Amino acid sequence: MGWFWADGNASAAAPAVPPSHKDLAASGATPPPSCPMHNKTMDALSAYKPAATPAPEPTPAAAAPPSKCPVNHGAKDTLAAAAAAVAPKQHQPDHHQPAAAAAAAAASEPSFLSKLNPLNYMFSSISQEPAPNQAIALPTERDPSSIPKGTGDGNWEYPSPQQMYNALLRKGYTDTDITAVESMVAVHNFLNEGAWNEIVEWERRFGKGLMRGWEIMKCGEENAPMMLRRLEAQENDPEPQPTLIRFQGRPKEMTPKAALLQVLGRINSNYATEPPFDRHDWYVSRDDNGEKKEVRYVIDFYSAPPEPTGEPVFYLDVRPAVTVTGACERLLRWGGDVWWKASGGEVREQERSK
């Protein structure tokens, strides 16, 4: 459903072994405080000793401490180099030329979404050429619809049978019966026209506000057409026509209402029904007192048992999406009908007409 088309690794170095203090330990001398080999940081760094070199036993000091540090102060640079070698090195990715070329090529290719028409989320261009190994020629003429575009430049057009067939093949339906494509296009166009008529009727009732919608719906669904005609005659104001901005087919996403009906059908057979075979979201431009407002409509397509003559039967469930305004409109339409019947409105109307 919904085949409208808009024209338009470096390894870490081994840790170095810090120089020992054999001479200083053997002499038992105490190093001066300024010796960098004996502050806390250097003690931590020089704590590592090879297992093959046990520490010698200290001997009692026999001489006065030397006047200067016996350790070569150049060892500080050696320890700094050792610490730098032990510290983990940050990995730097190696950017190879082939990888960069592949990335550039991928960036230059158009994305999948860029190939789609934003007005209907279909491919921007479907060929009119026959498919490979196509045995039967299909018409390429496109029928115009009665659905005005939101851009104001005419009406939407339906795809030709050849475009429909090519689109089905592109989607993977390679087993499509080519002899049935023309009938599929006719049914598709018929259902979309019916869906648009339902939207136009909804807009006539609620396009000018909720209060006006209640005046139309307070006498029930059966009397709503009469109330609408009467109100339009009193207003003597030409009704602004809605337009279709864009639409989207979502056959794999069941609406909450359709899912609820499936659950109720498992509980009570009176609600049992087949799940919808398709779902559309249509975005309609509503003229709200001179201001354009976008309203999303949700459409569930149901199939029913065919007529005795073999003609297929379909049901459409068309309503605004569950927004604040959409929910109020749906409540008024459903609630007005329930109120009219539950309050005895039909009986009162019959008595009044006597």
Side-chain angles (χ1 to χ4, degrees):
M1 299 305 303
W3 298 91
F4 297 114
W5 303 100
D7 294 327
N9 294 301
S11 59
V17 179
S20 63
H21 283 176
K22 289 184 179 181
D23 298 336
L24 183 61
S27 64
T30 302
S34 62
C35 178
M37 292 296 294
H38 291 274
N39 57 43
K40 294 182 179 181
T41 302
M42 294 307 169
D43 288 341
L45 289 173
S46 60
Y48 173 76
K49 299 291 183 179
T53 309
E57 293 293 332
T59 56
S67 59
K68 65 177 181 178
C69 179
V71 180
N72 183 9
H73 287 272
K76 181 176 181 180
D77 298 334
T78 306
L79 285 175
V86 174
K89 295 184 178 180
Q90 185 176 3
H91 176 69
Q92 298 294 335
D94 186 15
H95 298 285
H96 298 287
Q97 186 66 22
S108 62
E109 294 181 359
S111 64
F112 176 77
L113 292 178
S114 66
K115 300 178 182 179
L116 300 181
N117 186 341
L119 299 180
N120 53 22
Y121 299 96
M122 298 293 182
F123 289 100
S124 299
S125 177
I126 298 295
S127 174
Q128 293 272 30
E129 298 297 325
N133 302 322
Q134 179 177 328
I136 301 176
L138 291 173
T140 58
E141 293 78 15
R142 301 177 62 181
D143 294 331
S145 73
S146 64
I147 307 174
K149 295 181 181 179
T151 55
D153 55 343
N155 293 356
W156 291 83
E157 288 185 333
Y158 293 119
S160 68
Q162 184 64 61
Q163 286 180 318
M164 173 74 80
Y165 185 64
N166 291 340
L168 291 172
L169 294 180
R170 178 177 289 190
K171 289 186 174 183
Y173 299 103
T174 56
D175 57 345
T176 301
D177 183 5
I178 192 173
T179 62
V181 172
E182 292 188 58
S183 299
M184 293 169 58
V185 172
V187 172
H188 162 269
N189 299 353
F190 171 76
L191 292 179
N192 280 285
E193 291 292 326
W196 181 248
N197 291 336
E198 291 288 333
I199 291 176
V200 171
E201 185 66 21
W202 197 290
E203 288 294 309
R204 288 179 63 195
R205 300 185 185 190
F206 296 99
K208 293 185 177 181
L210 296 176
M211 293 299 297
R212 181 177 180 275
W214 172 248
E215 290 295 324
I216 298 170
M217 297 306 307
K218 66 181 181 180
C219 293
E221 187 70 32
E222 184 178 353
N223 299 314
M226 178 187 65
M227 298 294 294
L228 177 59
R229 289 193 299 269
R230 183 184 301 175
L231 190 58
E232 288 178 344
Q234 293 174 357
E235 294 171 344
N236 195 21
D237 185 19
E239 191 76 18
Q241 291 298 316
T243 59
L244 179 59
I245 303 173
R246 65 186 187 278
F247 61 91
Q248 182 181 11
R250 304 168 66 181
K252 297 182 180 180
E253 300 179 41
M254 189 175 294
T255 62
K257 181 179 179 180
L260 179 60
L261 291 176
Q262 294 302 305
V263 174
L264 293 177
R266 298 176 183 177
I267 300 175
N268 190 331
S269 60
N270 292 329
Y271 296 97
T273 180
E274 291 292 328
F277 63 86
D278 201 1
R279 170 200 172 171
H280 283 184
D281 285 13
W282 289 17
Y283 296 83
V284 175
S285 176
R286 171 186 293 180
D287 192 328
D288 188 4
N289 296 324
E291 296 183 2
K292 296 296 183 180
K293 179 181 178 181
E294 184 177 287
V295 181
R296 180 168 67 96
Y297 280 85
V298 180
I299 309 169
D300 285 326
F301 296 83
Y302 292 90
S303 59
E307 295 285 352
T309 57
E311 296 179 356
V313 179
F314 303 95
Y315 292 104
L316 304 182
D317 187 1
V318 183
R319 70 275 185 193
V322 184
T323 59
V324 175
T325 304
C328 292
E329 294 176 5
R330 294 166 67 170
L331 180 61
L332 290 178
R333 186 164 186 174
W334 174 80
D337 189 57
V338 172
W339 164 257
W340 177 254
K341 295 177 180 179
S343 63
E346 294 180 355
V347 176
R348 294 195 304 270
E349 196 68 22
Q350 292 175 359
E351 293 179 352
R352 186 181 306 172
S353 61
K354 290 181 180 180

